């Protein structure tokens, strides 16, 4: 079995109850193996000579109200290879545990505290975990951005000493995902020369496309005329750029919104939030 040399942060947002895992590794598609989460229950990152069964098993035990030490005892009893494993867990109460088996490849170790567990193996040194924990604690950012920034800081502190390949960010929160699903953010960089940096770029795109609009503002005549000119140029609109919003303009604009995957941000009529308008101006030009 190939070891998954990895550094990961498992965390709970005490403000919202959201749970998240950020992970990076010199391993193809690390997000396919390491992170396991369930909204309102907990999160488990399983790595080193990873036992993927720890994910569903750990979540089931959390759901049955087992404590962290009880879960560790169950893993110890059921897995003869525990000495080669590494994992971090946080439950919906913010209780946590980070475990590193004594046969994980060095440098290997972790830290845990209320609402977080940070761990890594085959790292350049303990400074990687320090950067992961300290950055996450220090930054005043939304929960997903804090996870992503902490992962990048750990990477820049030395990361996986074998190099870089993949990273992932997963966040769950009750009903916060697309179509009311609990899986809110699920982003993976499976093979990239700078995966932690690329993960941040994908998170920005996710925010643009899937965040709900905040305070959509009425479009002025100049904005509407600007849209009509570009809608006509793109073949969606056959009318004149009058600056008046009508049914034909809305139909054409909905076509553009669909092409750009901005449906989550558009609520109808001549109203648009500043983020979407800024994006369209950068995309379409003046």
């Amino acid at each position: 079995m190939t070891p998954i040399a990895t550094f990961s942060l498992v965390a709970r947002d005490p403000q919202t109850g959201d749970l998240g895992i950020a992970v990076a590794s010199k391993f193809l598609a690390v997000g396919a193996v390491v992170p396991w989460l369930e909204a309102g229950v907990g999160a488990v990152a399983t790595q080193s000579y990873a036992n993927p069964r720890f994910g569903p098993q750990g979540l089931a035990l959390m759901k049955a109200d087992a404590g962290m030490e009880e879960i560790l005892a169950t893993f110890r009893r059921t897995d003869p290879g525990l000495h080669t494993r590494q994992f971090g867990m946080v439950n919906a109460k913010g209780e946590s545990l980070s475990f590193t088996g004594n046969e994980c490849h060095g440098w290997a170790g972790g830290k845990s505290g209320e609402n977080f567990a940070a761990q890594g193996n085959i790292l350049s040194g303990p400074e990687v975990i320090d950067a992961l924990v300290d950055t996450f604690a220090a930054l005043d950012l939304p929960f997903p951005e804090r996870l992503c920034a902490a992962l990048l800081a750990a990477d820049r502190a030395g990361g996986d000493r074998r190099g870089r390949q993949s990273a992932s960010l997963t966040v769950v929160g009750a009903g916060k995902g697309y179509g009311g699903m609990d899986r809110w953010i699920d982003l993976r960089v499976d093979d990239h020369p700078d995966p932690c940096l690329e993960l941040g770029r994908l998170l920005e795109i996710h925010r643009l496309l899937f965040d709900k609009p905040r305070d959509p503002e009425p479009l002025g005549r100049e904005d509407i005329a600007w849209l009509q000119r570009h809608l006509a140029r793109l073949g969606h609109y056959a009318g004149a750029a009058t600056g008046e919003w009508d049914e034909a303009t809305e139909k054409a604009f909905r076509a553009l919104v669909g092409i750009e995957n901005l449906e989550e941000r558009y609520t109808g009529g001549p109203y648009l939030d500043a983020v979407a308008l800024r994006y369209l101006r950068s995309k379409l030009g003046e």
Side-chain angles (χ1 to χ4, degrees), residues 51-65:
N51 183 343
R53 294 178 181 82
F54 283 174
Q57 186 180 15
L59 293 173
L61 288 165
M62 289 181 198
K63 194 177 286 188
D65 208 28

Side-chain angles (χ1 to χ4, degrees), residues 3-265:
I4 304 181
T6 299
F7 51 101
S8 66
L9 179 61
V10 185
R12 172 183 174 270
D13 183 356
Q15 316 253 300
T16 63
D18 293 346
L19 296 153
I21 297 178
V23 55
S25 180
K26 176 67 168 65
F27 184 87
L28 181 69
V30 70
V33 178
V34 171
W36 297 81
L37 308 91
E38 186 173 344
V41 176
V44 180
T46 174
Q47 54 202 55
S48 187
Y49 290 91
N51 183 343
R53 294 178 181 82
F54 283 174
Q57 186 180 15
L59 293 173
L61 288 165
M62 289 181 198
K63 194 177 286 188
D65 208 28
M68 294 291 113
E69 293 299 328
E70 186 179 350
I71 296 171
L72 175 58
T74 301
F75 289 174
R76 196 183 301 280
R77 187 172 63 252
T78 59
D79 183 4
L82 191 72
H83 54 286
T84 68
R85 317 294 190 201
Q86 187 176 58
F87 54 86
M89 305 185 290
V90 174
N91 66 18
K93 302 172 190 174
E95 298 166 344
S96 67
L97 182 144
S98 181
F99 174 85
T100 300
N102 58 16
E103 290 191 21
C104 290
H105 298 302
W107 187 90
K111 291 182 177 181
S112 63
E114 186 177 7
N115 294 312
F116 81 89
Q119 45 283 317
N121 63 92
I122 317 186
L123 303 184
S124 62
E127 63 277 4
V128 178
I129 299 303
D130 291 341
L132 198 58
V133 173
D134 294 347
T135 303
F136 183 71
L139 291 179
D140 183 18
L141 291 172
F143 183 57
E145 280 76 8
R146 286 172 63 207
L147 286 165
C148 208
L151 196 70
L152 181 61
D155 175 78
R156 295 315 193 237
D160 184 334
R161 62 183 170 86
R162 302 175 308 162
R164 301 179 174 116
Q165 187 166 12
S166 67
S168 79
L169 174 67
T170 316
V171 183
V172 296
K176 296 181 78 168
Y178 185 85
M181 300 294 287
D182 291 343
R183 188 161 289 239
W184 174 28
I185 295 172
D186 189 356
L187 299 174
R188 284 175 34 179
V189 181
D190 286 346
D191 185 26
H192 193 278
D194 199 349
C196 295
L197 190 65
E198 175 67 3
L199 191 64
R201 187 185 73 85
L202 294 181
L203 179 57
E204 289 180 3
I205 296 172
H206 185 280
R207 290 293 203 180
L208 168 68
L209 299 182
F210 299 111
D211 274 8
K212 301 302 181 186
R214 295 184 180 180
D215 303 319
E217 297 181 357
L219 296 169
R221 289 181 62 90
E222 289 186 6
D223 289 328
I224 294 171
W226 165 78
L227 268 178
Q228 288 170 329
R229 287 195 301 273
H230 284 287
L231 290 170
R233 176 177 62 81
L234 294 169
H236 303 306
Y237 178 67
T242 62
E244 296 289 339
W245 192 267
D246 56 19
E247 187 177 339
T249 302
E250 177 149 351
K251 182 178 179 181
F253 186 56
R254 284 191 181 277
L256 177 63
V257 163
I259 290 169
E260 296 297 330
N261 291 315
L262 290 169
E263 292 96 337
E264 297 294 301
R265 283 201 171 270

